């Protein structure tokens, strides 16, 4: 038996600071007998508002996409996750200098890919014990900033402790190498 859910949402936020921020959210799920596929994406074209950490109000586009394939065994779930993050600054304003050369926000344009294997083991009636390993790479488009590669080892708990929600928490270790 298969079932699917598709949700699509788009909205524009017109603040009193003369900017229109646009967000496009989409998510979907395919549920089969013992396994499921979940995907979601959020694309934003926006500027930070005055008073935030980025007071220059730099226009930029960002995308965050996640795809999960989960197989359910009796008391064990195995999940494969793929995440993609994209950041694109839409201005040529200077942010400083490096080795006597002017740097702009576009030097911060980046792509990040990561993959994760997660095991969820049910030892107790409600919570599941989580174990996961993740590998990812962050690449800057211009080559002016150091690219990096990282590995995470995580453990945690996930459970439906309340009737209307699920809580998940993880803690772990990361090693990151810059090139």
């Amino acid at each position: 038996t298969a079932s699917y859910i598709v949700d699509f949402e788009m909205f524009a936020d017109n603040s009193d600071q003369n900017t229109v921020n646009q967000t496009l959210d989409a998510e979907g799920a395919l549920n089969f007998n013992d396994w499921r596929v979940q995907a979601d994406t959020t694309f934003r074209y926006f500027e930070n508002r005055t008073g935030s950490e980025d007071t220059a109000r730099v226009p930029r586009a960002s995308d965050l996409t996640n795809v999960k394939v989960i197989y359910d065994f009796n008391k064990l779930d195995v999940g494969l996750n793929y995440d993609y993050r994209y950041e694109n600054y839409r201005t040529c304003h200077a942010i400083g200098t490096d080795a006597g050369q002017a740097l702009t926000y576009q030097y911060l344009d980046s792509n990040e890919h990561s993959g994760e294997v997660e095991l969820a083991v049910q030892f107790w009636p409600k919570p599941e014990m989580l174990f996961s390993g993740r590998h990812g790479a962050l690449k800057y488009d211009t080559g002016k900033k150091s690219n990096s590669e990282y590995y995470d080892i995580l453990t945690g708990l996930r459970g439906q402790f309340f009737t209307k929600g699920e809580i998940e928490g993880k803690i772990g270790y990361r090693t990151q190498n810059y090139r």
Side-chain angles (χ1 to χ4, degrees), residues 36 38 66 68 70 77 81 83 116-120 126-132 134 154-162 165-171:
R36 63 190 181 275
Q38 301 169 330
N66 178 275
K68 295 180 183 179
I70 302 160
D77 295 347
N81 302 337
D83 288 318
E116 178 180 23
V117 175
E118 179 179 80
L119 301 175
K126 288 200 181 222
E128 297 173 312
M129 188 76 176
L130 302 174
F131 304 97
S132 65
R134 181 183 307 138
L154 303 162
T155 188
L157 290 175
R158 172 176 50 216
Q160 189 172 356
F161 300 102
F162 308 104
E166 186 173 86
I167 297 174
E168 177 175 313
K170 291 182 185 178
I171 190 168

Side-chain angles (χ1 to χ4, degrees), residues 10-107:
M10 182 174 179
F11 62 90
D13 169 24
N14 189 1
S15 73
D16 59 293
Q17 297 180 26
N18 300 324
T19 183
V20 176
N21 294 329
Q22 300 168 351
T23 301
L24 173 67
D25 285 327
E27 63 181 74
L30 293 172
N31 295 309
F32 299 95
N33 288 338
D34 293 331
W35 64 283
R36 63 190 181 275
V37 177
Q38 301 169 330
D40 61 81
T41 188
T42 301
F43 179 80
R44 296 181 64 207
Y45 188 85
F46 67 104
E47 292 179 22
N48 289 51
R49 294 188 173 146
T50 307
S52 67
E53 70 280 355
D54 189 354
T55 57
R57 298 181 55 187
V58 177
R60 62 183 172 205
S62 72
D63 181 27
L64 179 58
T65 299
N66 178 275
V67 178
K68 295 180 183 179
V69 177
I70 302 160
Y71 191 86
D72 300 323
F73 293 98
N74 189 16
K75 293 193 177 264
L76 172 73
D77 295 347
V78 177
L80 300 173
N81 302 337
Y82 169 74
D83 288 318
Y84 170 72
R85 187 185 62 79
Y86 162 80
E87 194 82 30
N88 185 320
Y89 288 82
R90 313 293 287 191
T91 182
C92 292
H93 290 130
I95 58 173
T97 60
D98 180 33
Q101 184 179 29
L103 298 178
T104 68
Y105 277 96
Q106 290 181 344
Y107 289 109

Side-chain angles (χ1 to χ4, degrees), residues 135-154:
H135 172 261
L138 174 62
K139 180 181 180 301
Y140 288 94
D141 294 349
T142 62
K144 297 284 183 184
K145 289 186 60 80
S146 295
N147 297 329
S148 67
E149 187 174 6
Y150 57 88
Y151 298 91
D152 296 340
I153 303 290
L154 303 162

